[in-house]
Amino acid sequence: MIFKEETKSVPITKQMVWEAYKKVKSNGGNAGVDHQSLSEFDKVRSKELYKIWNRLSSGSYLAPMIKRVTIPKGNGKTRPLGIPTVGDRVAQQVVKAYLEPRLETVFVENSYGYRPNKGAHLAIREVQSNVLKYSWVIDLDIKEFFENVSHELLMKALRKHVSEKWVLMYIQRWLEAPVQLEDGTIKESTGKGTPQGGVISPLLANLYLHYCIDKWLEKYYPKVKMVRYADDLIIHCESYTVATQLLTTLTTRLTECGLTAHPEKTRIIYCKKDKRNLEGYPVQFDFLGFSLQPIRNTLKTGGSFLQYDCKMSRKSKVRITQELKALGFHNKSQWTIQGIANLLNPKIRGWIQYYGKISKRSLKPVFYYLHHRMIRWILNKYKSFKGSKVKAIAWLRTVGNSYPNLFYHWELGYTLF
């Protein structure tokens, strides 16, 4: 340990603070309103952690201001993100680690977001299984969910499971912490919202939606199947009649909880495949970076069949190709191909580990685009090729044959062109 133990009234130990710090450090992240980065925090780590423990364990910890930034969301839109200070992230992690095991015993099985031993791939697999059994889907989009969480309703839900006054006190303080906007303006609490980006916010969001939607569906619509990842929600229904009725009543339920179903993004989808032949309904929806839609598969024995399955979404492909374009490595003629591999391999590994785990073949267009960017780099670097793409492709194939492990996707058999 980095400091000696002392007895305090609130049952927060220095070991709890230390474990929280290690978790925060492993997650990384930017500086908050105090401009203190993780590396700067580390320089005075012992002093900072002692201060956090001393204040948390004595009941005197006050939540600092949250830094608001905006990040790209797609289609030219942005998403607000709240960044607590490094020290506040440690404090939030302490309370989250204390509270999470208790709430985990309450949450339903088909809630997958930001939970231990859960994740996006399990949620996608569940949706893949459900669309084969259920013909209709409600693709529910909650408009600005994190900005509209009612503090009153959230605290009411917490009090059902939390008797410790100090836990409720600290969570209330985090909810009411002022926010510093990007122009420097200070926004005071309005009684709603939990910063998307706060360490404890996903746990609080899951509790809120547990009572707003999960338990409500179990009680009133036990025959439908729900898959939820944080505020991304898919509901599988047996018929269009059930789907339309449920969507109407669920919209009212959301309003009662201070939330709104996005009028443009919330839709009823028909899971069209062989033996499901209705026309005139939307047949595609996106979920967690994947697109679920009718896909025609070819049989080895000849012929084909229409299956409802998923692949990497168009939005995900566009985002990755834009990222590759923004790197601008095709103009770095002074670089070596090893340098480009060092730049790209961490990104390629991440794409394959996420998207390839569900659908390897849907990554082919991404790597097709990547190889074309590499061809442009070759033509810029080797003027002797005189702009010949044929020579550039031949050179890249020679490199691929000689060094098949140079790029991560080459190792896994994603061949050139």
Side-chain angles (χ1 to χ4, degrees), residues 227-262:
V227 178
R228 182 171 66 78
Y229 189 94
D231 60 328
D232 290 329
L233 193 71
I234 302 299
I235 305 173
H236 304 269
C237 306
E238 291 182 348
S239 70
Y240 182 75
T241 301
V242 171
T244 52
Q245 181 191 29
L246 171 54
L247 182 54
T248 299
T249 54
L250 182 53
T251 299
T252 301
R253 172 62 179 174
L254 288 174
T255 302
E256 294 170 351
C257 297
L259 304 174
T260 304
H262 198 294

Side-chain angles (χ1 to χ4, degrees), residues 63-104:
M65 196 178 303
I66 301 294
K67 178 182 177 183
R68 170 74 63 83
V69 298
T70 54
I71 58 174
K73 186 179 178 181
N75 300 324
K77 298 181 179 179
T78 58
R79 181 194 304 274
L81 192 68
I83 303 178
T85 64
V86 175
D88 194 43
R89 297 206 291 273
V90 174
Q92 289 189 35
Q93 179 60 38
V94 169
V95 177
K96 179 190 175 186
Y98 180 85
L99 195 57
E100 188 171 55
R102 189 183 316 181
L103 296 184
E104 273 297 309

